[in-house]
Amino acid sequence: EILLSESQSISDPTLKDLLPFGIAIHHAGLSCADRSLVEDLFSDGSLSLLISTATLAWEVNLPAHAVIIKGTKVYDPKKGTWVELSGQDVLQMLGRAGRPQFDTFGEGIIITKGEELQFYLSLVNAQLPIESQLLWSSGKGGSSRLVDALNAEIVLGNVRNREEAVDWLGYTYLYVRMLKDPGLYGVGKDYLEPSDPTLRLKRSDIIYTSATLLDKASLIRYNRVTGTLHPTELGRIASHFYITYPNMLTYTWVLKKEMGVLELCRVFAGSEEFREIPIREEEKGEIGKLLERVPVPAKEGVEEREAKISVLLQAYISGLKLDGFALVADMIFIQQSAGR
């Protein structure tokens, strides 16, 4: 009776059909009201089964008795191929099962290929170390996440020169893992000297590279002679609004004082976060219709990503109705980053 009653207020037709059977879906394409209702119904036990995307494990606290991971491969747009779920994702999902304050025990089921079995057995038996992600690339610019972290520390005033930056790096998990597994983090034989057990030379080289990149993008002023590091207004903007180094580099190069709304839309559409948004064949017709309705025209056609991003942002601002689920999901993703 509860499910039949609540299903009347659901706007998504697929979810509306499923709900009376005690089954629900949860993904970014649903409206906020539909998602909130599904979460409430699952929490109070009205729903038996919730089928969701992987992001649910990170964003929403919904304990369950059993978690089934149906397939462990996800599509990586950057690599253009299917890759295995990361260990952190798998553990985070399985962590939803059998929460102590809600259940006496839980069940976790991983459906995967035979050749991946040993990896997941090692993972759940805590035999694989967690590696630092600080040196991983944050985007097309080839910079690591360390660049953004260093900029934040400089803006806060915690790091004022190269030596302080090297000391700061010594407090990170990256440093801990570099000592444990030097080869994995590019610490060559030249750095592994008995006279330098704390890898200070390697840390100094990492800081020098990161500071040079920040200086190149005008996010800081780096004096290579004295080693001083001073924040700039652009650096403060990047830090306060969580805008990555590759984006700031792009904006620094292309933004001009005399730009109009059309040009600003194109700059926004070129942001690093949106490089993975695909152009699907089945949605070109709807994008084409939206191009004719939005207030700011796009120079590009339906085949180009910039046109789609600009159109979806304008569709959100203008309150235009979208038909395709994938387009709605893309629009929500764009809207979430647009403000900052």
Side-chain angles (χ1 to χ4, degrees):
E1 288 177 359
I2 292 171
L3 295 175
L4 281 169
S5 172
E6 296 289 1
S7 65
Q8 302 307 309
S9 61
I10 295 290
S11 57
D12 184 87
T14 307
L15 179 58
K16 194 167 190 168
D17 291 342
L18 287 171
L19 209 63
F21 297 96
I23 302 169
I25 52 177
H26 190 290
H27 53 72
L30 296 176
S31 67
C32 286
D34 285 359
R35 286 205 306 272
S36 296
L37 179 59
V38 165
E39 292 163 15
D40 292 341
L41 290 173
F42 189 74
S43 295
D44 66 24
S46 298
L47 288 170
S48 305
L49 179 64
L50 179 58
I51 302 161
S52 74
T53 52
T55 51
L56 183 69
W58 293 97
E59 296 173 1
V60 185
N61 183 22
L62 284 182
H65 175 72
V67 171
I68 302 171
I69 302 175
K70 183 182 177 290
T72 55
K73 284 192 179 291
V74 289
Y75 186 75
D76 187 339
K78 290 180 182 175
K79 296 179 180 176
T81 184
W82 293 82
V83 298
E84 288 294 320
L85 279 169
S86 73
Q88 291 97 318
D89 282 330
V90 171
L91 291 176
Q92 187 75 10
M93 291 181 209
L94 294 179
R96 291 285 178 264
R99 301 291 280 278
Q101 65 267 46
F102 300 104
D103 217 330
T104 52
F105 74 100
E107 295 178 69
I109 299 169
I110 303 175
I111 302 173
T112 187
K113 289 189 174 182
E115 57 263 31
E116 303 298 336
L117 184 61
Q118 193 55 50
F119 169 77
Y120 290 107
L121 282 174
S122 300
L123 182 69
V124 296
N125 289 329
Q127 293 174 345
L128 296 176
I130 295 173
E131 301 296 351
S132 168
Q133 307 296 303
L134 206 55
L135 284 183
W136 279 34
S137 172
S138 60
K140 188 183 176 187
S143 65
S144 67
R145 293 182 174 93
L146 179 64
V147 175
D148 295 319
L150 178 61
N151 179 58
E153 294 296 329
I154 294 169
V155 169
L156 288 169
N158 295 337
V159 169
R160 294 164 296 179
N161 54 57
R162 191 169 51 224
E163 290 305 305
E164 287 183 356
V166 172
D167 292 338
W168 163 75
L169 195 56
Y171 289 100
T172 63
Y173 185 60
L174 168 64
Y175 173 63
V176 174
R177 292 305 303 159
M178 280 169 61
L179 289 174
K180 290 280 187 182
D181 194 347
L184 186 62
Y185 293 91
V187 182
K189 292 180 181 178
D190 296 344
Y191 296 103
L192 298 172
E193 296 290 341
S195 58
D196 186 16
T198 61
L199 300 177
R200 193 164 186 87
L201 180 59
K202 176 63 178 177
R203 283 188 281 151
S204 181
D205 285 353
I206 291 172
I207 292 299
Y208 176 83
T209 303
S210 300
T212 303
L213 288 172
L214 288 170
D215 186 58
K216 178 184 175 183
S218 301
L219 299 186
I220 66 167
R221 291 193 302 276
Y222 174 37
N223 188 318
R224 289 166 179 77
V225 178
T226 62
T228 55
L229 303 164
H230 295 287
T232 65
E233 285 305 310
L234 283 176
R236 291 187 179 94
I237 289 168
S239 177
H240 292 316
F241 294 98
Y242 303 102
I243 302 175
T244 60
Y245 162 81
N247 269 343
M248 291 303 294
L249 192 60
T250 301
Y251 300 156
T252 305
W253 284 347
V254 302
L255 281 177
K256 302 288 185 293
K257 287 183 180 180
E258 66 277 6
M259 276 185 166
V261 178
L262 174 58
E263 287 82 7
L264 286 172
C265 278
R266 296 187 73 210
V267 172
F268 171 80
S271 298
E272 188 67 33
E273 285 86 347
F274 309 137
R275 292 191 183 277
E276 297 178 11
I277 291 180
I279 304 292
R280 305 175 187 90
E281 196 63 39
E282 65 273 14
E283 65 191 20
K284 288 179 181 176
E286 189 173 358
I287 293 173
K289 291 176 184 175
L290 287 169
L291 279 169
E292 298 171 1
R293 297 175 61 194
V294 293
V296 181
K299 287 183 179 179
E300 301 83 5
V302 294
E303 300 284 344
E304 298 181 63
R305 183 183 292 107
E306 285 78 8
K308 174 179 176 178
I309 294 163
S310 176
V311 160
L312 289 181
L313 177 64
Q314 293 185 64
Y316 172 76
I317 295 170
S318 304
L320 301 180
K321 188 177 184 301
L322 303 181
D323 294 327
F325 149 66
L327 267 185
V328 173
D330 287 340
M331 183 182 74
I332 291 171
F333 174 64
I334 291 167
Q335 166 259 316
Q336 286 170 340
S337 291
R340 61 182 179 81

